[in-house]
Amino acid sequence: MLEKYDFAIIGGGVLGTTISYWISSLYDSKVAVIEKEPNVGMHTSSRNTGVIHSPFYLNPDKKGKLARAAFLSYDMWKKFAQEKDLPWKTIGTLEVALDESQHKILEKYLSWGPKNGMDESDIQLLDGRDTKKQEPNVECHSALFCKTDSVVDYGIFTRKLKEESQRNGTKFLVSSKFEQVKNTDGESVLVLSDNKQVHSKFVINCAGGYSLDIAKKFGLVLDYGSLHFRGEYWIAQKEHTNLAKTNIYSVPNYPDFPFLDPHWIMRVDGKSEIGPNAVPVSSPETYSGYVGNIEVFISKLSEVLTSNTRKLLLNPDFMNLVSKEWLSSISKSVMIERVQKFLPKAKPDFFSERGTAGIRTPIITPDGKFVSDVMELEGPNSYHILNYNSPGATGAPAYSAYVIQTLQEKGILDKKMKPKESMWNFEKIFQ
């Protein structure tokens, strides 16, 4: 059976679903979203902290596009939550510095926020005493307080956005895994796992942890690699949920690596969690255990060791970090010790249940370095978005609009749009 579309989007996460919404609301095009799971948003889009991040911590010179998308998307998500009656809590974030060297990083963040569009009044630099007045259980040298950070459930957001896209005519081909592509006469035939074939004039690849593998099937970035890192959390027992009432992040000790230092997170459902670590695993879906599928793990390890990405394993800072991350996975106490540096009253017996684990898949260059920003690649009848990591969920509404603009500039989409009724204003994003 051959189904024909103007656009086929591989990946039904928050980004792919949002792109489908924009195309279906701005054009009379036949759009399909190909998703291997029974519904959208079942992996990274649901397995995250749920924070709507304000982009004070993003370097405007290196991550300006992602930072701007996060800033613009804040109001877009808020409007969406209000119109659809979805949970939203504004709780704020404290980014804490433990010494003077980290304090200088906070000073840098203080200047980055306004450059990324934030109002100066929304971020404030506090000394240790003022921080303690706000959060009595926090010990630090200083902190940057961001008033606007909020928490939501991105999985629910993605599924609700799917409904909006479906109203515009988008077809979601769920339980259908992309296997291979055949390019013929300027168009593509996508072969799926359920013996379906999807004929599409243009393909957009935004498949998260699988996006690199899919790009390679289109003949792109064959000399790049990737690794998968699981981030684990522990849930505070109910009586310890209010140990802190805002999100508490710590300044990264390894800014060259795409990992997060441990933090305290307030969830939209009222729970509190600590984490994450960054445990190497075999696939984008190894949410438990230490290896996962042994054949897949050996294959991934072989890929790293026999390609240019093996250079990463010669980096002593990286190997030291990985060893510490393994320890924090095996031992809850090691994880708690890291959090105690800024939240000393946290004790291992306050946390008895594991939280939702998520996986980040950074791309590695041929010379063994992590790609620091999103990769956007043009391929045969296709456009590929790789390395779309945090704060990707925050920035999805505006970032996906940037994708539409790029396709317009390339002549793939007409600049003359025929908007249907839309909850977001496309033109306003580019004013």
Side-chain angles (χ1 to χ4, degrees):
M1 178 181 178
L2 185 64
E3 299 186 46
K4 296 187 177 182
Y5 297 92
D6 298 307
F7 291 90
I9 300 168
I10 303 175
V14 64
L15 182 61
T17 303
T18 311
I19 291 173
S20 79
Y21 171 77
W22 277 124
I23 296 178
S24 63
S25 65
L26 297 173
Y27 295 93
D28 292 324
S29 297
K30 193 173 182 183
V31 182
V33 175
I34 298 169
E35 169 54 49
K36 67 183 183 63
E37 301 296 346
N39 205 346
V40 299
M42 294 187 68
H43 290 289
T44 303
S45 299
S46 291
R47 292 177 169 272
N48 55 60
T49 59
V51 177
I52 300 279
H53 292 281
S54 301
F56 63 85
Y57 62 97
L58 295 175
N59 187 329
D61 297 322
K62 293 182 178 180
K63 293 192 173 183
K65 188 174 182 180
L66 194 59
R68 186 66 180 171
F71 170 72
L72 292 171
S73 295
Y74 184 95
D75 287 340
M76 297 170 72
W77 277 135
K78 190 172 185 178
K79 179 182 179 182
F80 182 66
Q82 290 171 341
E83 290 187 359
K84 305 303 175 184
D85 194 27
L86 302 177
W88 175 290
K89 291 183 181 179
T90 300
I91 57 172
T93 290
L94 281 168
E95 181 97 13
V96 298
L98 302 180
D99 53 36
E100 182 61 27
S101 64
Q102 291 189 344
H103 175 77
K104 292 186 181 302
I105 295 175
L106 294 186
E107 290 179 333
K108 188 162 52 178
Y109 288 174
L110 190 65
S111 68
W112 285 356
K115 290 180 181 178
N116 290 329
M118 295 180 64
D119 193 300
E120 291 183 0
S121 64
D122 287 335
I123 46 177
Q124 181 182 5
L125 195 57
L126 308 174
D127 62 22
R129 287 172 297 181
D130 287 336
T131 303
K132 201 165 187 63
K133 289 178 184 177
Q134 183 166 321
E135 286 288 358
N137 292 326
V138 171
E139 297 281 352
C140 64
H141 174 280
S142 55
L144 188 71
F145 177 52
C146 175
K147 303 175 185 178
T148 52
D149 274 17
S150 303
V151 287
V152 300
D153 185 325
Y154 284 114
I156 293 175
F157 275 27
T158 304
R159 289 183 280 278
K160 184 62 68 171
L161 195 57
K162 170 193 172 185
E163 295 176 8
E164 297 300 310
S165 188
Q166 284 178 314
R167 288 191 186 97
N168 293 334
T170 300
K171 186 169 183 180
F172 285 80
L173 305 177
V174 297
S175 300
S176 298
K177 182 180 179 181
F178 167 79
E179 297 285 1
Q180 60 179 309
V181 60
K182 301 174 184 177
N183 291 304
T184 57
D185 299 327
E187 297 181 335
S188 298
V189 176
L190 307 182
V191 181
L192 308 183
S193 57
D194 46 8
N195 294 321
K196 287 183 180 178
Q197 290 190 352
V198 172
H199 188 151
S200 182
K201 295 177 182 177
F202 198 81
V203 178
I204 300 173
N205 165 25
C206 46
Y210 295 101
S211 58
L212 177 65
D213 295 336
I214 291 171
K216 288 184 176 184
K217 291 183 179 181
F218 282 77
L220 305 173
V221 286
L222 299 178
D223 53 351
Y224 279 65
S226 65
L227 288 173
H228 310 295
F229 294 90
R230 182 176 68 227
E232 301 166 335
Y233 288 82
W234 285 92
I235 302 173
Q237 295 169 354
K238 189 174 182 180
E239 59 267 33
H240 303 296
T241 295
N242 291 324
L243 200 58
K245 296 182 180 180
T246 59
N247 291 338
I248 315 290
Y249 283 74
S250 52
V251 172
N253 285 316
Y254 296 90
D256 293 333
F257 300 133
F259 310 129
L260 297 173
D261 278 46
H263 45 263
W264 169 274
I265 286 294
M266 304 294 295
R267 292 281 190 174
V268 74
D269 63 3
K271 295 179 181 178
S272 300
E273 299 185 10
I274 60 166
N277 46 20
V279 182
V281 292
S282 62
S283 79
E285 297 170 24
T286 306
Y287 297 121
S288 62
Y290 295 105
V291 174
N293 183 296
I294 188 66
E295 293 182 0
V296 175
F297 182 76
I298 292 173
S299 175
K300 174 58 70 173
L301 184 62
S302 175
E303 173 192 319
V304 173
L305 292 175
T306 58
S307 70
N308 288 337
T309 57
R310 68 184 181 276
K311 297 175 183 177
L312 178 64
L313 303 183
L314 301 178
N315 185 320
D317 287 338
F318 174 73
M319 295 309 295
N320 181 49
L321 175 61
V322 167
S323 65
K324 291 180 179 178
E325 299 300 310
W326 274 100
L327 282 175
S328 70
S329 178
I330 296 169
S331 171
K332 178 174 62 174
S333 295
V334 172
M335 171 84 82
I336 305 303
E337 285 174 7
R338 297 164 73 182
V339 175
Q340 285 174 334
K341 292 179 180 179
F342 58 86
L343 201 59
K345 289 190 176 181
K347 306 297 180 184
D349 57 1
F350 291 1
F351 305 87
S352 55
E353 180 184 355
R354 285 189 179 270
T356 301
I359 293 179
R360 180 179 294 201
T361 303
I363 306 296
I364 305 169
T365 66
D367 59 356
K369 295 181 180 179
F370 287 111
V371 174
S372 62
D373 204 356
V374 183
M375 294 178 67
E376 300 172 354
L377 308 170
E378 189 173 2
N381 313 318
S382 59
Y383 194 72
H384 304 257
I385 304 166
L386 283 61
N387 213 52
Y388 187 75
N389 294 314
S390 180
T394 296
Y399 189 88
S400 56
Y402 293 154
V403 173
I404 302 303
Q405 184 189 51
T406 298
L407 298 181
Q408 290 175 340
E409 292 171 349
K410 293 181 178 296
I412 296 161
L413 282 169
D414 196 334
K415 290 186 178 181
K416 185 178 181 181
M417 298 171 285
K418 299 178 180 178
K420 303 172 186 175
E421 185 178 344
S422 176
M423 60 187 167
W424 294 327
N425 188 320
F426 182 80
E427 287 82 3
K428 187 177 180 181
I429 296 171
F430 304 99
Q431 290 175 356

